[in-house]
Amino acid sequence: MTSTGIRLHAPAPGWAVAADVVVVGSGVAGLTAALRCEAAGLTTVVVTKARLDDGSTRWAQGGIAAALGEGDTPEQHLDDTLVAGAGLCDEEAVRTLVTEGPDAVRRLIATGAHFDESTEGGLALTREGGHHRRRIAHAGGDATGAEISRALVEAVRARGLRTVENALVLDLLTDAEGRTAGVTLHVMGEGQHDGVGAVHAPAVVLATGGMGQVFSATTNPSVSTGDGVALALRAGAEVSDLEFVQFHPTVLFLGPDAEGQQPLVSEAVRGEGAHLVDAGGVRFMQGQHELAELAPRDIVAKAITRRMQEQGAEHMYLDARHFGADMWKHRFPTILAACRAHGIDPVTEPIPVAPAAHYASGGVRTDAHGRTTVPGLYACGEVACTGVHGANRLASNSLLEGLVYAERIAVDIATGHRSDTVPARVPAPLSHPDRPEHPLLPPEARLTIQRIMTAGAGVLRSADSLTRAADRLHRLHTEAREALHENGKTSEPGVDTWEATNLLCVARVLVTAAARREETRGCHWREDHADRDDTTWRRHVVVRLNPDRALAVHTTDTPEFPPTVHGAQPTHRPQEQ
């Protein structure tokens, strides 16, 4: 795989540092990879867009899934994951996750993470949607992510890892052979507002999290703008399954015009016995699935959306009044506080909820060791597509995937250094281009993109809605290119314009993949193709960015991913979009 040669319009780096590994992102995946690389003797630099503890991991309420309870087994965890993934999971990737997961959680505990315990002294395990057993470990009631983040951040600081906070990573650097040579980045608040530097390293680990900000309403923090996926595409990497965006079924409804990050009402609330009801108090999940409210997320989100359509309602309700004040206070203190902050008391009234964008099951395509199709570039966590989640992520598998695959990446990088498959010296990157390579969108384009995506590629999709979305996104793309080519003008480099440009990049890929997949599967719901079609569509949609900025899309020949062999090309000519 060769680089596209495309880079964001940005100044040449004015400073540089060198390392063996640069990890981009500071959630569970990024910090775990960094700690394991450092423990293997590799000079490691962590770059993160905000503060070390400001990523998506911090917001994870429910917990981390692993076969840690009495009577539970990795095989049972595997079965539940495969069912949720709706025929598109890579079974070997899932087997890796569930067999290595329990020990990875134990190592996390040894690092300093404290999980809630039962009265008998063991882990207090609960259930969430799609799980047939209690296997979800949680912390602080509903603050699992915050506790994991705290433990990992403290470990990183205790070990003296070099960190660069408040830094937006821009593009991958490569050497003359096309291998990874580091990244360029902008440190916010230091020097000029468009000042850029670089970290030179032969291995780059993308752990940048999700892209929920591509939609108007999401549970993701404001930093989740798809930067890792966009960077990988510009570097020539393959992206897969981006059409499978999971919409969390129970997000606190703040009004039809609410935009940005919305409060999540964890699936664990349903795991403890809360009921989904309509305005009349009627439960509607019974008869929809054997697990009722604990069905996989795509099934619950679709059931809520159907009921809303049938009744002309803007939201449904989650009723957990029977919990009582004491259980709400001790088991779900974060959710209780968020609800009360918005004038809702779940102790005495049902919670208004509606689906919102939550998690990208697809991402940068990797193999079992986190290697992408670009030599030296790795990806883990939500930015990656390992094959674990298939068409729909099983609840609380995301934190586990970040742990397990980050550890595997660290082993692969360390082994490569010892065997000389990764250069021991820091490679010399190619020089920065003299002219702007990629036009930047104005800051206001962000809101435009979000509204286009919510209207055309949200929970419900169709050929018509996706075509309208594609046309409007193409117009934004074309207008920016024409302005650059005709008069050499582009928006001023800065965080807001770089983020808007990244959002447009991932939005175009998502819409392209969603239009290509003419079926309903997992969290991809096509109104005009209501059935699952295993004969034609038990395949993966893979997208690349061509040097001319056109998208090249193809489907795999089987449900299995082809190897991420460096330099490999598709077996048939991709269709240009």
Side-chain angles (χ1 to χ4, degrees):
M1 184 64 63
T2 57
S3 172
T4 64
I6 301 170
R7 291 182 182 176
L8 289 173
H9 175 31
W15 54 268
V17 297
D20 295 323
V21 186
V22 56
V23 177
V24 187
S26 61
V28 62
L31 294 188
T32 298
L35 287 167
R36 298 295 179 264
C37 284
E38 187 269 344
L42 301 172
T43 304
T44 305
V45 174
V46 177
V47 176
T48 188
K49 193 173 178 181
R51 297 190 305 272
L52 281 181
D53 60 353
D54 268 350
S56 291
T57 292
R58 171 188 170 191
W59 300 97
Q61 294 174 343
I64 186 166
L68 295 163
E70 185 177 352
D72 197 5
T73 65
E75 200 67 26
Q76 293 176 68
H77 190 183
L78 180 141
D79 289 343
D80 286 345
T81 301
L82 295 180
V83 169
L88 274 188
C89 294
D90 182 313
E91 186 167 340
E92 285 308 306
V94 178
R95 193 173 300 281
T96 295
L97 178 83
V98 299
T99 55
E100 297 182 12
D103 282 343
V105 172
R106 294 184 186 103
R107 284 188 288 273
L108 179 62
I109 293 171
T111 301
H114 302 293
F115 290 94
D116 295 342
E117 296 183 349
S118 66
T119 54
E120 292 79 24
L123 288 175
L125 302 175
T126 189
R127 282 181 67 194
E128 291 185 5
H131 293 272
H132 282 79
R133 284 194 174 271
R134 286 183 170 265
R135 65 169 65 99
I136 316 300
H138 52 84
D142 59 358
T144 309
E147 170 57 18
I148 291 174
S149 180
R150 179 205 62 78
L152 291 173
V153 168
E154 285 190 5
V156 164
R157 288 177 174 155
R159 297 182 192 182
L161 270 72
R162 181 165 187 169
T163 61
V164 185
E165 297 182 288
N166 300 306
L168 172 62
V169 168
L170 302 177
D171 280 303
L172 190 75
L173 295 170
T174 55
D175 64 15
E177 284 73 47
R179 283 196 56 89
T180 291
V183 292
T184 55
L185 64 154
H186 166 68
V187 182
M188 294 169 259
E190 291 193 15
Q192 295 180 354
H193 110 283
D194 60 351
V196 170
V199 180
H200 296 162
V204 171
V205 181
L206 292 180
T208 52
M211 43 181 255
Q213 289 290 327
V214 79
F215 293 97
S216 297
T218 177
T219 63
N220 289 190
S222 61
V223 295
S224 298
T225 50
D227 307 317
V229 171
L231 175 151
L233 283 162
R234 290 191 296 271
E238 292 183 349
V239 169
S240 185
D241 297 358
L242 220 61
E243 68 271 31
F244 295 117
V245 176
Q246 189 175 74
F247 286 77
H248 198 289
T250 53
V251 175
L252 184 62
F253 181 75
L254 301 181
D257 298 322
E259 294 177 325
Q261 185 179 10
Q262 313 288 301
L264 176 67
V265 182
S266 169
E267 198 148 332
V269 177
R270 281 174 281 138
E272 296 291 355
H275 303 144
L276 280 165
V277 298
D278 60 20
V282 177
R283 290 180 66 182
F284 55 87
M285 283 306 302
Q286 293 174 312
Q288 299 271 353
H289 189 275
E290 59 166 335
L291 296 176
E293 277 89 356
L294 287 178
R297 287 178 177 174
D298 63 309
I299 293 172
V300 179
K302 290 171 186 174
I304 290 173
T305 303
R306 285 194 192 100
R307 195 71 159 196
M308 287 163 56
Q309 289 178 325
E310 290 167 2
Q311 299 187 345
E314 294 178 325
H315 60 82
M316 290 288 110
Y317 293 92
L318 189 64
D319 192 351
R321 290 175 290 180
H322 55 284
F323 284 5
D326 191 61
M327 181 174 174
W328 268 110
K329 179 180 177 181
H330 292 97
R331 179 66 179 88
F332 300 110
T334 306
I335 299 170
L336 177 63
C339 288
R340 285 178 169 171
H342 291 282
I344 299 153
D345 188 351
V347 176
T348 61
E349 60 186 317
I351 305 168
V353 294
H358 182 59
Y359 190 90
S361 294
V364 184
R365 188 168 78 80
T366 73
D367 65 8
H369 302 283
R371 294 176 292 214
T372 74
T373 51
V374 175
L377 179 65
Y378 296 78
C380 58
E382 190 173 355
V383 71
C385 183
T386 62
V388 159
H389 303 308
N392 183 54
R393 175 179 67 93
L394 180 66
S396 287
N397 267 358
S398 52
L399 291 173
L400 189 71
E401 183 198 31
L403 270 183
V404 168
Y405 281 87
E407 292 188 339
R408 293 176 72 84
I409 285 172
V411 170
D412 192 74
I413 294 173
T415 302
H417 272 264
R418 287 193 293 269
S419 65
D420 294 329
T421 59
V422 174
R425 60 177 178 78
V426 176
L430 295 176
S431 60
H432 194 81
D434 293 330
R435 62 184 179 84
E437 289 292 336
H438 203 306
L440 300 179
L441 270 66
E444 58 269 22
R446 176 173 180 148
L447 186 58
T448 302
I449 293 165
Q450 291 171 335
R451 291 175 175 172
I452 290 170
M453 294 298 290
T454 296
V459 178
L460 284 172
R461 303 164 178 176
S462 67
D464 287 344
S465 75
L466 290 166
T467 297
R468 287 194 298 272
D471 288 346
R472 294 182 66 191
L473 293 172
H474 181 69
R475 246 188 337 267
L476 288 174
H477 177 69
T478 301
E479 287 169 0
R481 289 188 64 183
E482 288 177 348
L484 179 63
H485 291 157
E486 290 176 6
N487 54 33
K489 291 184 178 180
T490 186
S491 295
E492 183 182 357
V495 174
D496 46 7
T497 56
W498 287 321
E499 284 184 334
T501 304
N502 285 338
L503 282 172
L504 178 61
C505 179
V506 296
R508 291 178 63 217
V509 175
L510 194 161
V511 167
T512 297
R516 171 63 71 93
R517 183 173 291 279
E518 295 180 334
E519 65 159 355
T520 290
R521 181 187 298 272
C523 52
H524 172 66
W525 188 4
R526 287 283 298 262
E527 291 181 283
D528 50 344
H529 295 281
D531 298 322
R532 173 170 154 176
D533 179 4
D534 278 350
T535 302
T536 306
W537 286 109
R538 193 159 175 251
R539 306 283 189 272
H540 299 279
V541 178
V542 179
V543 181
R544 290 184 295 106
L545 184 64
N546 283 340
D548 64 358
R549 301 180 182 83
L551 297 178
V553 55
H554 73 279
T555 55
T556 59
D557 296 326
T558 70
E560 287 70 46
F561 278 124
T564 56
V565 177
H566 302 140
Q569 297 293 331
T571 56
H572 54 283
R573 181 176 175 79
Q575 179 178 338
E576 306 302 325
Q577 296 293 309

